[in-house]
């Protein structure tokens, strides 16, 4: 993920911020992203992520005393989760607009040295009601409010993944080839084992099929969203389901898909000139007269 983001930013050439979950709150990810620089030596890619519950930071090392021995690299060690109690009086109150609604949260912003990269990271301790969590950001110039707001966008990402996975089914592909080397307990498949041209061709075709399937699913999701935004009144009129609470005038992707499926089912014969009709009919079973009589 980090390598892919770094490659993308290198092509775009503009300053970007990538928002990730706590799984990526590890040193190697930060180190990979810090290697992307512009012509002036400034970092092009920064990361905002949720820290793990056992994260610790270090204050600046004390000044050199002139005594023999190696100077200290780190200062006082801080267990950040403990600061919600020990430094509760230092938290600031702020109101942040998230998804068009204003929410009041309290936060504490600290720039501390993080051992995995041996450099400073901006930690933002956030208390939202009864929930307490810590955010990390590699950009020391980004304000705490912007860091909180940026991480809140992850909710939209999770909803998009839910639609892609459960509604469209873009990750339910069934493309495989026996030419693909076995991974076993490794994390990366060694494609160098596929030396003959036929195996490489089969692997390439399988990979292209998987990517095409996922991309078509993303396109289908975008079409549902466009239909929802432009024809929301028509969708609601034709929707035959029941919702306990309607929270928006814009129907969800699930509602739009339900209406389209119902309309297509009842008007299937009217689409006889479309490509999808010909594909469906070519895949359907051909029933003979004798088979129909036997069934009767």
């Amino acid at each position: 993920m980090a390598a892919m983001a770094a490659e993308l930013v290198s092509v775009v050439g503009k300053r970007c911020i990538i928002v990730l979950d706590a799984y990526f709150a590890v040193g190697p990810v930060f180190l990979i992203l810090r290697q992307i620089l512009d012509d002036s030596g400034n970092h092009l890619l920064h990361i905002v992520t949720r820290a793990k519950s056992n994260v610790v930071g270090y204050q600046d090392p004390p000044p050199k005393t002139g005594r023999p021995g190696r100077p200290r690299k780190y200062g006082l060690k801080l267990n950040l989760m403990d600061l919600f109690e020990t430094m509760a009086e230092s938290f600031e109150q702020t109101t942040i607009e998230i998804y068009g609604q204003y929410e009041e949260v309290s936060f504490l912003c600290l720039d501390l040295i993080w051992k995995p990269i041996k450099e400073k990271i901006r930690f933002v301790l956030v208390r939202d009601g009864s929930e307490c969590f810590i955010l990390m950001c590699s950009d020391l110039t980004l304000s705490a409010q912007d860091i909180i707001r940026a991480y809140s966008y992850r909710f939209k990402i999770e909803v998009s993944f839910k639609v892609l996975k459960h509604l469209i089914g873009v990750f339910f592909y069934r493309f495989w080839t026996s030419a693909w080397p076995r991974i076993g307990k490794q994390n990366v498949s060694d494609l160098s084992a596929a030396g003959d041209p036929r195996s490489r061709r089969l692997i390439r075709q399988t990979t292209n099929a998987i990517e095409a399937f996922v991309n078509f699913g993303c396109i289908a999701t975008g079409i549902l969203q466009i239909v929802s935004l432009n024809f929301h009144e028509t969708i609601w009129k034709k929707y035959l389901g029941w919702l306990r609470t309607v929270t928006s005038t814009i129907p969800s992707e699930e509602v739009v898909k339900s209406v389209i499926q119902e309309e297509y089912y009842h008007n299937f014969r009217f689409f006889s000139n479309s490509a999808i009709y010909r594909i469906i009919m070519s895949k359907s079973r051909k029933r003979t007269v004798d088979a129909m009589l036997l069934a009767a």
Side-chain angles (χ1 to χ4, degrees), residues 12 15 41 88 103 139 165 187 214 216-217 223 230 248 264 276:
V12 175
R15 184 173 178 269
E103 295 188 10
D139 187 357
K165 180 178 179 181
N187 294 326
V214 174
F216 282 130
I223 293 175
N230 291 280
S248 175
Y264 199 87
I276 187 65

Side-chain angles (χ1 to χ4, degrees), residues 242-296:
W242 178 81
L243 297 177
R244 181 176 181 179
T245 304
V246 179
T247 59
S248 175
T249 58
I250 305 299
S252 64
E253 294 91 341
E254 290 89 343
V255 172
V256 177
K257 181 186 176 185
S258 174
V259 171
I260 293 177
Q261 282 182 322
E262 194 72 20
E263 289 293 313
Y264 199 87
Y265 175 77
H266 290 290
N267 300 278
F268 183 68
R269 296 293 178 181
F270 293 100
F271 297 95
S272 58
N273 294 326
S274 64
I276 187 65
Y277 177 88
R278 293 192 295 270
I279 293 174
I280 293 175
M281 295 304 296
S282 66
K283 302 294 183 181
S284 62
R285 296 179 179 177
K286 306 298 182 181
R287 295 187 299 176
T288 62
V289 177
D290 294 338
M292 295 179 64
L293 293 175
L294 289 175

Side-chain angles (χ1 to χ4, degrees), residues 95-110:
T95 302
I96 300 179
E97 183 180 2
I98 302 177
Y99 303 139
Q101 298 181 353
Y102 290 92
E103 295 188 10
E104 186 172 341
V105 299
S106 58
F107 68 91
L108 176 63
C109 184
L110 298 172

Side-chain angles (χ1 to χ4, degrees), residues 11 23 26 35 104 124 194 233 247 264:
V11 175
Y23 178 81
V26 292
Q35 297 175 2
E104 186 172 341
V124 181
E233 294 182 357
T247 59
Y264 199 87

Side-chain angles (χ1 to χ4, degrees), residues 31-75:
L31 293 175
I32 291 174
L33 301 184
R34 293 183 72 86
Q35 297 175 2
I36 310 302
L37 305 174
D38 59 11
D39 297 335
S40 302
N42 299 318
H43 295 287
L44 281 177
L45 185 57
H46 289 283
I47 180 173
V48 173
T49 182
R50 182 166 178 165
K52 298 179 180 179
S53 58
N54 60 347
V55 65
V56 296
Y58 294 83
Q59 294 180 347
D60 292 331
K64 297 181 181 180
T65 60
R67 298 177 181 177
R70 187 177 63 179
R72 295 178 59 182
K73 295 182 179 180
Y74 305 100

Side-chain angles (χ1 to χ4, degrees), residues 149-177:
R149 189 178 296 108
Y151 189 78
S152 69
Y153 295 150
R154 273 201 51 79
F155 180 75
K156 291 184 177 181
I157 301 173
E158 296 297 339
V159 172
S160 298
F161 273 114
K162 173 180 175 293
V163 172
L164 290 172
K165 180 178 179 181
H166 298 288
L167 182 66
I168 307 299
V170 300
F171 303 116
F172 296 154
Y173 48 80
R174 292 293 183 269
F175 305 111
W176 191 250
T177 174

Side-chain angles (χ1 to χ4, degrees), residues 111-127:
D111 293 340
L112 301 173
I113 301 175
W114 192 40
K115 254 190 177 181
I117 63 173
K118 299 179 175 59
E119 294 183 9
K120 279 192 174 182
I121 290 291
R122 174 152 291 184
F123 293 94
V124 181
L125 287 70
V126 183
R127 181 183 286 114

